[in-house]
Amino acid sequence: MNIDERAQQILLKLMETDKTGYDAEGISIYAYEIADAMQAESDKRKPKGLPEVLFEPDWSVAPDK
């Protein structure tokens, strides 16, 4: 899920509950702030030092069938 989709889900939930006291623009900004904070926390929890891909074969030298 990308940041825009996450912010949209948060925005819809905030609009349902409408306990923020913000206008429509304020709720949108608040939704993105929450989504950004969630992404930052997620990035901190990813393991460090391990590559995303451990082995990438060189397909140019692979034999044909």
Side-chain angles (χ1 to χ4, degrees):
M1 175 182 310
N2 69 31
I3 198 79
D4 292 326
E5 292 168 336
R6 183 174 287 142
Q8 182 183 20
Q9 287 184 345
I10 295 167
L11 173 67
L12 292 173
K13 195 57 148 175
L14 287 172
M15 290 174 73
E16 279 178 19
T17 59
D18 195 23
K19 294 180 181 178
T20 62
Y22 294 129
D23 61 359
E25 183 179 353
I27 291 175
S28 178
I29 292 168
Y30 186 50
Y32 268 98
E33 288 174 356
I34 293 171
D36 287 341
M38 290 173 66
Q39 186 62 52
E41 186 62 30
S42 175
D43 291 344
K44 285 193 300 189
R45 292 172 183 251
K46 288 183 182 174
K48 305 274 192 272
L50 296 175
E52 292 282 330
V53 178
L54 296 176
F55 176 74
E56 183 64 39
D58 183 1
W59 294 110
S60 66
V61 296
D64 292 333
K65 286 187 174 183

